Amino acid sequence: LAGQNFRARLFTRLIAPFERAFYQQRRAGQLIAISEVVRREVTAEYGWKRPCSVIHHGTDVERFRPATDAAERRALRRELGWPDEAWTWLF
């Protein structure tokens, strides 16, 4: 713990025991992780020994993609009622 910053020490001492207890509940029958990395971490760090599935986040890449050309951008702006010269920021 000596080489860790304050936040890491705080996490190790206060939060990790609660997480460990959470993952060791008897009534929890299965874990669903968002990645193989998370699955491995929970198994290694918290001793999870029951079934675990990995379900990756998904995005429809056909629907959620950048406009490919200026004509498509103009059409999208018209559809949304935004003027061509207006700045657009999307988060």
Side-chain angles (χ1 to χ4, degrees), residues 18-29:
F18 287 108
E19 284 190 338
R20 193 167 289 106
F22 176 81
Y23 286 114
Q24 292 175 354
Q25 295 179 62
R26 293 181 189 263
R27 66 182 180 176

Side-chain angles (χ1 to χ4, degrees), residues 12-63:
T12 301
R13 289 191 176 157
L14 297 177
I15 306 302
F18 287 108
E19 284 190 338
R20 193 167 289 106
F22 176 81
Y23 286 114
Q24 292 175 354
Q25 295 179 62
R26 293 181 189 263
R27 66 182 180 176
Q30 180 162 346
L31 175 75
I32 299 173
I34 61 167
S35 70
E36 185 61 31
V37 171
V38 171
R39 187 200 64 74
R40 282 194 308 264
E41 285 179 357
V42 170
T43 301
E45 297 297 322
Y46 301 108
W48 184 266
K49 295 187 181 5
R50 286 165 264 172
C52 181
S53 301
V54 175
I55 300 177
H56 300 279
H57 291 298
T59 301
D60 181 346
V61 295
E62 292 298 318
R63 182 174 179 200

